[in-house]
């Protein structure tokens, strides 16, 4: 049987990982296949109109999208035929998501995709992985655009940091100089328009951990708010499963719910729990986008990793999902990272975080906020040199310059140069742990920071605006960039190599929100 390599599917072991031998041939796993979309040219024309802010380019309904641009049943049949030939079972198919999930053993998948799955050990644990590319039969090379789940390494990290108290003797002075805030206080400081997001649904993507209803009830009662409706959606067998460790994924889950729920307490919050793999992350995103039950109008993502840690096929597949979100009128907010211009990489180069670097995502950077008497007194780039925490931002090495960023410049170490590729972030908000968010996790009241908090903050604002306007903001980049005065320009500080300047910059984007002015654009 003639085979071709799936473009962009090459994998390398994690840095420092050691192969222990072949993966158990009898181990059972599930693998997600992403299929091509129908009428791709018409779809891309439609999305281009939305990106340009064309008023005539209206969002599609989920039903319209499935009919026009979902997977072709004939392509699904071809995948089924391939699966049967290799003894693989089709356990799920979804035309709108263009996804077919296959189940089988390691031995069967090795034979089906021409891979040699190995068992690897690394500093943080172990994983099943592979090297090189995935092989497809020639009959599927134009049908299958991605194969995910053969490798189950951890794909992303949460972007939060818990505030570390000041040393003894300095605590009182530090608390007075840099108090924390509730999300309600931040919404007021940022002039969010009145409202509570009634009739909206905010989707939150989580790759581990969980929440306890008792914590949510205690938290919202403390704010004088009714506990919002929170539903857990299982993706790829993952579940709401609290670990009891606020420093782990529980911290991310509850931070996201507390912030979004406090800002938009009448919105429904759907939390999509998925495994922390490239397959699980993608399946969670596409499940949220095409969820015809909860129907989210905005998605908040606080997980990610440097672009260099992703396969090309994964970044393309995720970006296609975000294009679909734009076509359906769904806004996607993603944290830009907490490790400054390096994004935590140690190769001496600048990196940006993905999925925030997708040009179809509203990338959320971080600031340090100070306030007095209900008003903001100062706001600068979040960069805490003592702990290494700083808002992510920079220039993508993968994604082309989007039209809405034409003519912009990035200031790197004092030298301003025209953007040649996608610039990150788009917008920002309070993220410094020292001026962070009061939340309740695993029975404890803590103060969190990180760009993880900025994504649900903006998601809550967007839910409010959607409820007020009676229609979704959807893909909002063109209007935000055309009307930058609706944001609070941040002109002080740096995130490492990039310097904050008047106008857009690669530290805080266009700036933090003036919620009422942002609402006025839509």
């Amino acid at each position: 049987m003639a085979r071709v390599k799936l473009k962009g599917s090459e994998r390398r072991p994690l840095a420092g990982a050691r192969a222990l031998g072949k993966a158990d041939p009898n181990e059972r796993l599930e693998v997600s296949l992403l299929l091509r979309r129908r009428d791709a040219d018409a779809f891309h024309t439609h999305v281009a109109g939305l990106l340009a802010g064309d008023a005539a380019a209206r969002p599609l309904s989920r039903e319209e999208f499935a009919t026009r641009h979902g997977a072709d049943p004939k392509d699904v049949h071809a995948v089924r035929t391939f699966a049967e030939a290799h003894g693989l079972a089709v356990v799920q198919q979804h035309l709108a998501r263009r996804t077919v999930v296959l189940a089988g053993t390691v031995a069967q998948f090795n034979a089906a995709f021409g891979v040699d799955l190995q068992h690897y050990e690394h500093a943080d644990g172990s994983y099943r992985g592979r090297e090189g590319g995935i092989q497809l039969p020639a009959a599927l090379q134009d049908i299958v655009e991605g194969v995910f789940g053969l490798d189950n390494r951890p794909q992303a990290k949460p972007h939060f940091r818990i505030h570390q108290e000041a040393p003894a003797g300095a605590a009182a002075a530090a608390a007075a100089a840099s108090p924390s805030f509730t999300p309600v206080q931040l919404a007021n400081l940022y002039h969010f328009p009145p409202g509570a997001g009634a009739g909206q649904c905010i989707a939150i993507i989580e790759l581990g951990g969980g929440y306890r209803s008792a914590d949510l009830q205690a938290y919202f009662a403390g704010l004088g708010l009714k506990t919002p409706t929170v539903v857990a959606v299982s993706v790829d067998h993952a579940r709401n499963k609290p670990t009891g460790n606020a420093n782990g994924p529980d911290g991310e889950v509850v931070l996201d719910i507390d912030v979004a729920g406090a800002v938009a307490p009448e919105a429904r919050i759907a939390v999509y729990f998925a495994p922390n793999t490239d397959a699980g992350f993608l399946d969670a995103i596409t499940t949220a986008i095409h969820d015809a039950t909860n129907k989210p109008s905005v998605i908040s993502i606080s997980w990610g990793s440097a672009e260099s840690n992703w396969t090309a096929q994964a970044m393309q597949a995720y970006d296609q999902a975000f294009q679909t979100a734009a076509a359906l009128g769904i806004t996607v907010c993603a944290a830009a990272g907490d490790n400054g211009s390096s994004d935590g990489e140690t190769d001496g180069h600048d990196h940006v975080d993905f999925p925030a670097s997708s040009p179809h995502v509203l990338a959320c950077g971080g600031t340090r906020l100070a306030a007095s008497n209900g008003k903001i007194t100062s706001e600068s780039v979040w960069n805490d040199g003592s702990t290494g925490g700083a808002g992510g931002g920079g220039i993508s090495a993968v994604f082309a310059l989007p039209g809405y960023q034409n003519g912009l410049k990035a200031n790197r170490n004092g030298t301003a140069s025209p953007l040649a590729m996608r610039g990150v972030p788009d917008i920002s908000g309070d993220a410094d742990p020292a001026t962070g968010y009061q939340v309740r996790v695993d029975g404890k009241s803590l103060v969190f920071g990180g760009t993880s908090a900025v994504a649900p903050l903006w998601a809550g604002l967007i839910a409010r605006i959607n409820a007020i306007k009676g229609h979704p903001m959807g893909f909002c980049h063109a209007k935000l960039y055309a009307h930058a005065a609706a944001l609070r320009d941040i002109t002080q500080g740096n995130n490492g190599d990039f310097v904050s300047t008047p106008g857009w910059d690669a530290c805080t984007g266009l700036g933090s929100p003036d919620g009422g002015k942002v609402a006025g654009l839509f």
Side-chain angles (χ1 to χ4, degrees):
M1 178 177 63
R3 289 180 180 269
V4 293
K5 186 167 71 173
L6 176 59
K7 183 179 178 180
S9 64
E10 293 81 5
R11 272 287 200 191
R12 292 178 298 175
L14 283 173
R18 182 169 62 96
L20 300 180
K22 293 183 179 296
D24 179 356
N26 297 312
E27 178 189 353
R28 295 194 65 83
L29 59 146
E30 293 184 2
V31 172
S32 296
L33 275 62
L34 181 69
L35 312 188
R36 64 185 174 185
R37 69 171 83 249
R38 278 180 288 183
D39 204 355
D41 290 342
F43 172 80
H44 290 131
T45 298
H46 184 76
V47 171
L50 292 167
L51 265 61
D54 183 354
R58 67 171 183 85
L60 301 173
S61 70
R62 287 178 171 84
E63 294 74 21
E64 286 175 318
F65 177 88
T67 301
R68 298 180 189 179
H69 305 302
D72 191 320
K74 293 180 180 178
D75 289 347
V76 174
H77 178 73
V79 171
R80 282 184 167 274
T81 299
F82 161 76
E84 291 171 3
H86 290 278
L88 301 170
V90 176
V91 296
Q92 186 184 149
Q93 67 180 54
H94 197 290
L95 293 180
R97 291 174 54 213
R98 300 163 30 219
T99 299
V100 177
V101 180
L102 305 180
T105 66
V106 162
Q108 289 170 323
F109 278 112
N110 279 343
F113 292 107
V115 294
D116 182 17
L117 296 175
Q118 300 279 321
H119 183 61
Y120 290 88
E121 183 179 63
H122 64 107
D124 297 322
S126 61
Y127 69 94
R128 181 187 65 247
R130 60 182 176 81
E131 290 190 61
I134 293 169
Q135 303 293 320
L136 291 176
L140 294 183
Q141 67 173 322
D142 295 326
I143 293 175
V144 175
E145 296 185 343
V147 176
F148 306 98
L150 293 168
D151 187 305
N152 69 349
R153 72 184 68 191
Q155 185 59 62
K157 296 179 180 179
H159 294 317
F160 74 85
R161 290 173 183 253
I162 298 177
H163 177 50
Q164 300 299 314
E165 295 296 338
S178 56
S180 58
F181 303 95
T182 70
V184 175
Q185 290 172 325
L186 285 168
N188 291 332
L189 289 169
Y190 283 134
H191 301 150
F192 282 19
Q200 300 299 306
C201 175
I202 300 171
I204 296 176
I205 306 299
E206 302 294 356
L207 305 179
Y211 62 87
R212 292 183 171 89
S213 296
D215 278 340
L216 300 184
Q217 291 166 3
Y219 178 75
F220 288 103
L223 295 177
L225 297 173
K226 179 183 177 182
T227 304
T229 299
V230 181
V231 295
V233 181
S234 174
V235 178
D236 296 349
H237 311 295
R239 299 245 188 296
N240 173 28
K241 191 175 181 180
T243 65
N245 180 10
N247 286 286
D250 287 5
E252 186 58 69
V253 174
V254 179
L255 173 64
D256 292 342
I257 296 173
D258 283 357
V259 174
V263 173
E266 293 182 18
R268 182 181 183 88
I269 298 178
V271 188
Y272 298 79
F273 288 98
N276 186 8
T277 63
D278 59 358
F281 200 171
L282 177 62
D283 287 345
I285 293 167
T286 59
T287 297
I289 290 170
H290 295 286
D291 187 343
T293 299
N294 294 299
K295 299 179 179 178
S297 62
V298 57
I299 297 174
S300 177
I301 302 173
S302 294
W303 298 71
S305 184
E307 288 179 333
S308 56
N309 295 326
W310 297 78
T311 62
Q313 68 157 356
M315 285 188 281
Q316 179 183 19
Y318 284 53
D319 186 54
Q320 287 183 8
F322 300 137
Q323 291 178 47
T324 296
L328 298 180
I330 301 169
T331 311
V332 181
C333 304
D338 297 349
N339 290 290
S341 57
S342 72
D343 202 34
E345 297 301 293
T346 58
D347 59 2
H349 297 289
D350 294 327
H351 294 268
V352 291
D353 207 76
F354 183 81
S357 66
S358 162
H360 304 99
V361 164
L362 193 65
C364 301
T367 69
R368 177 185 175 89
L369 182 74
S372 178
N373 298 320
K375 294 183 179 180
I376 295 173
T377 56
S378 68
E379 194 167 15
S380 57
V381 179
W382 167 40
N383 188 345
D384 185 351
S386 65
T387 64
I395 303 170
S396 173
V398 176
F399 295 101
L401 182 71
Y404 55 80
Q405 290 188 325
N406 281 340
L408 299 181
K409 294 183 178 181
N411 189 307
R412 187 177 187 276
N413 293 326
T415 301
S417 302
L419 276 182
M421 300 286 280
R422 156 73 161 149
V424 179
D426 297 301
I427 46 80
S428 56
D430 183 32
D432 190 327
T435 64
Y437 298 65
Q438 299 168 16
V439 298
R440 182 181 178 86
V441 184
D442 294 328
K444 298 178 181 179
S445 294
L446 300 167
V447 175
F448 276 67
T451 55
S452 276
V454 185
L457 181 73
W458 268 86
L461 169 60
I462 292 167
R464 278 199 193 189
I465 295 173
N466 290 348
I468 292 168
K469 300 296 182 177
H471 59 80
M473 281 176 54
F475 187 83
C476 56
H477 296 56
K479 284 189 177 179
L480 292 178
Y481 277 84
H483 303 280
L487 293 105
R488 294 175 42 83
D489 193 11
I490 311 300
T491 61
Q492 299 295 320
N494 65 76
N495 69 350
D497 284 345
F498 292 96
V499 180
S500 182
T501 59
W504 180 89
D505 56 63
C507 303
T508 59
L510 298 170
S512 59
D514 185 318
K517 291 181 179 179
V518 172
L521 301 179
F522 299 90

